[in-house]
């Protein structure tokens, strides 16, 4: 996919930062997952989480995610 930006916006973004900005926007609007956003940005999930933290953007971590994480931990602990 190719995206054309207005010249006034294009001068503000580097080729490296444009995908990050797109990924953050899609993540904030809950159109992509954390993993998908990191992939769009071309960085690891850890690096993407750090970028969110630098911008004080909260992650989407609700009750369902917590319960799933607890199930995974319980299954690992039971091995």
């Amino acid at each position: 996919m190719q995206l054309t930006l207005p010249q006034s916006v294009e001068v503000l973004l580097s080729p490296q930062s444009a995908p990050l900005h797109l990924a953050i926007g899609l993540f904030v609007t809950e159109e992509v997952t954390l993993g998908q956003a990191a992939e769009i940005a071309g960085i690891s999930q850890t690096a993407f989480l750090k970028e969110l933290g630098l911008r004080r953007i909260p992650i989407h971590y609700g009750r369902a995610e917590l319960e799933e994480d607890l199930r995974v931990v319980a299954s690992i602990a039971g091995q």
Side-chain angles (χ1 to χ4, degrees), residues 12-42:
L12 300 174
L13 300 174
S14 70
Q16 296 79 23
S17 69
L20 176 62
H21 287 285
L22 173 62
I24 289 171
L26 291 170
F27 179 77
V28 167
T29 58
E30 298 186 23
E31 295 177 68
V32 298
T33 65
L34 176 72
Q36 291 168 327
E39 186 176 351
I40 291 166

Side-chain angles (χ1 to χ4, degrees), residues 10-68:
E10 190 172 339
V11 298
L12 300 174
L13 300 174
S14 70
Q16 296 79 23
S17 69
L20 176 62
H21 287 285
L22 173 62
I24 289 171
L26 291 170
F27 179 77
V28 167
T29 58
E30 298 186 23
E31 295 177 68
V32 298
T33 65
L34 176 72
Q36 291 168 327
E39 186 176 351
I40 291 166
I43 57 178
S44 69
Q45 288 186 25
T46 303
F48 189 75
L49 284 169
K50 184 175 180 179
E51 291 292 339
L52 292 176
L54 291 172
R55 292 165 172 75
R56 298 179 183 247
I57 297 171
I59 60 170
H60 313 287
Y61 191 81
R63 184 178 188 96
E65 290 86 1
L66 173 60
E67 289 172 357
E68 177 62 22

